[in-house]
Amino acid sequence: MKIYAASHLCPVSSPALEGGAIAVENGRIADVGTREHITALHAGPVAEYPGCAILPGLVNAHSHLELTHFPSWKIRKGIDYSPRTYIDWIIQVIKIRRALTRREVEQSVLEGIRISLESGTTAVGEILTDATLLPLYQRSHLGGRIYLEAIGQAPARCDTVLSVISESIAGSWDGAFRPGVSPHAPHTLSAALFRDVRDLADRHELPLAVHLAESRDELEFLFDSSGPIAEKLYPFVDWHEYLPPPRRTTPVGYLDGFGLLRRGTTAVHCVHLSPADVELLKTRGVGVVLCPRSNEKLDVGKAPVRRLKKAGVPLSLGTDSLASNDSLSLLDEARFLLRQFPEDFSHDEALRMITLAGAEIVGIEAETGSLEKGKRGDFLVVDLPENPGKDLNEAIIERGRIREVFIRGEAVVTAEGADIVS
């Protein structure tokens, strides 16, 4: 039994406590309460953190750690240019990804894990394109959900993708990660592959994650099969013969036609939604991951957060990747969200979005996201300003500094840096 006490304890699932503490035993939270309560009931060494707050490990509900080294790859591969449009950016990502060695991608994943841990993230909703990289995640201290990505139009390619995902799901998942499936986006899978992915997820009772309504190009393509996706992306990846007839629908309506919008499905970005789309997401029980900094960097617009909130659609935050963001810090993401939508989110809401709400949307809330009995002992110690004021969550997000990161009650990030391997 180990006890960790601080000036403030922020369980997220319940009100904050002054002079709070948690007891951790065998990697699990055994108790939560005031320091006096915990030390009276439990025997064990007490680690004191005066002037600090203890809060749950952060949950990055949408990440692509494979792309962590993207900024340096652009230069090293001689593909360093500034894309003028969203589709130009996608083509740049494809060009760079094709030029990489196995070792380069492995190093990128490991760096992404290290950066995530140092920025306070203890669980991710990770989109994994290359399933052979899975052991790198499973050997790390991180946990969460790995969504195995499906992309493809040609039947033979689709069969291969489905086979790889099936084999990966059947493998060992005895660590802190759980499997999921990610049909990439409405415009990157054939109708047959969408149906096969849905059936696979049904058989194994797996959640789904999909990039949805991220750009106006996607809306144009789903409505009449025109625009930059048809004119630039499909020719670039040799999908000419798979250009579909006009569908006269929205990306949300299109996915709903496959039965892909249901409880357990995570929709990422959701920038371009009609009022009917929002209501459909709410009716189907879909959670949404907002990525405001990525959307800003790619100039695709802002998500209709007020409409989503009014409808009661669950919301969380993700950093996406360093191909479209400047950091993997969820605190950076939360600060940006609060400045971009100052009338729509409070600091309390933002903190919940990067902890418990993220865990709920990824489907790991039984394990992490809040400080509660029985959950994993994943938590952060955050140095607070000398006078934090009355709004503790504001002080944490705006002025706090991550001091230590604990996973299963053991420090994995200290002043000396991060230990990424479990």
Side-chain angles (χ1 to χ4, degrees):
M1 178 77 69
K2 295 181 179 179
I3 297 170
Y4 303 89
S7 297
H8 301 273
L9 186 74
C10 302
V12 175
S13 56
S14 58
L17 295 172
E18 287 193 29
I22 60 172
V24 180
E25 186 171 31
N26 298 322
R28 297 275 170 178
I29 298 175
D31 207 351
V32 179
T34 64
R35 186 190 187 285
E36 290 75 16
H37 167 83
I38 297 299
T39 54
L41 293 180
H42 304 282
V46 180
E48 300 274 6
Y49 293 97
C52 297
I54 292 175
L55 59 146
L58 308 183
V59 180
N60 189 344
H62 181 67
S63 60
H64 294 264
L65 300 186
E66 285 174 272
L67 297 176
T68 300
H69 279 168
F70 185 87
S72 63
W73 288 339
K74 288 196 305 180
I75 299 171
R76 287 163 45 205
K77 301 301 177 180
I79 311 177
D80 184 21
Y81 60 88
S82 297
R84 297 173 59 188
T85 67
Y86 172 72
I87 295 302
D88 288 338
W89 171 79
I90 291 177
I91 291 173
Q92 182 189 61
V93 171
I94 295 170
K95 286 179 179 178
I96 291 172
R97 192 67 175 81
R98 287 174 174 174
L100 299 176
T101 67
R102 167 78 181 190
R103 180 60 178 160
E104 286 174 318
V105 180
E106 289 177 346
Q107 290 173 332
S108 185
V109 169
L110 293 173
E111 181 71 353
I113 291 170
R114 183 191 67 78
I115 293 173
S116 295
L117 290 169
E118 288 192 342
S119 62
T121 293
T122 59
V124 293
E126 169 78 345
I127 308 298
L128 183 58
T129 304
D130 184 350
T132 66
L133 298 168
L134 186 56
L136 296 179
Y137 295 86
Q138 294 175 320
R139 290 196 297 265
S140 78
H141 287 298
L142 279 180
R145 179 86 58 187
I146 298 285
Y147 295 98
L148 300 161
E149 190 171 58
I151 298 176
Q153 297 284 349
R157 169 63 179 167
C158 293
D159 290 344
T160 299
V161 167
L162 201 67
S163 176
V164 169
I165 292 175
S166 298
E167 291 175 7
S168 299
I169 291 169
S172 175
W173 292 86
D174 56 358
F177 278 104
R178 299 177 183 178
V181 186
S182 176
H184 174 259
H187 55 282
T188 57
L189 278 76
S190 68
L193 185 53
F194 266 125
R195 288 190 288 266
D196 288 341
V197 166
R198 176 201 61 204
D199 294 344
L200 177 67
D202 287 346
R203 286 196 302 274
H204 296 278
E205 298 182 334
L206 297 177
L208 300 166
V210 58
H211 301 81
L212 185 61
E214 185 175 0
S215 70
R216 291 194 179 278
D217 297 337
E218 187 179 320
L219 267 67
E220 188 174 4
F221 184 77
L222 264 293
F223 187 76
D224 60 11
S225 297
S226 68
I229 292 177
E231 297 163 6
K232 298 180 72 173
L233 180 61
Y234 267 51
F236 179 75
V237 293
D238 295 323
W239 285 353
H240 313 74
E241 62 184 292
Y242 304 109
L243 189 67
R247 298 186 177 101
R248 306 301 184 194
T249 187
T250 66
V252 171
Y254 181 63
L255 291 190
D256 192 53
F258 291 105
L260 291 166
L261 299 184
R262 64 261 188 104
R263 196 165 300 280
T265 293
T266 297
V268 184
H269 295 293
C270 292
V271 175
H272 299 280
L273 301 176
S274 70
D277 289 336
V278 172
E279 288 303 317
L280 188 54
L281 293 177
K282 169 60 178 177
T283 300
R284 298 290 188 257
V286 174
V288 168
V289 183
L290 303 174
C291 303
R293 285 190 297 161
S294 174
N295 300 151
E296 171 84 3
K297 197 173 185 70
L298 298 181
D299 194 27
V300 294
K302 300 178 182 179
V305 298
R306 189 166 299 177
R307 186 173 292 142
L308 287 163
K309 284 188 67 178
K310 185 176 180 180
V313 175
L315 302 176
S316 64
L317 280 176
T319 62
D320 212 311
S321 76
L322 292 189
S324 63
N325 209 336
D326 294 325
S327 81
L328 297 178
S329 167
L330 282 168
L331 291 174
D332 287 347
E333 203 72 39
R335 286 189 287 267
F336 187 88
L337 175 85
L338 291 163
R339 284 153 182 69
Q340 190 173 62
F341 303 104
E343 305 299 321
D344 298 299
F345 294 101
S346 67
H347 286 89
D348 293 353
E349 289 173 313
L351 185 63
R352 193 181 190 283
M353 289 170 73
I354 59 176
T355 53
L356 186 54
E360 290 170 344
I361 282 178
V362 175
I364 56 172
E365 71 276 13
E367 289 291 302
T368 191
S370 61
L371 302 179
E372 299 180 68
K373 290 182 184 180
K375 291 193 176 185
R376 279 201 315 266
D378 300 349
F379 61 93
L380 314 180
V381 176
V382 175
D383 279 321
L384 296 174
E386 190 170 331
N387 296 304
K390 295 182 179 180
D391 191 337
L392 179 60
N393 291 338
E394 186 272 342
I396 290 171
I397 292 174
E398 301 291 350
R399 294 171 287 156
R401 183 181 65 83
I402 294 173
R403 177 171 172 175
E404 294 185 31
V405 178
F406 289 78
I407 293 190
R408 300 180 188 87
E410 300 294 334
V412 299
V413 175
T414 62
E416 285 71 41
D419 174 16
I420 70 171
V421 179
S422 61

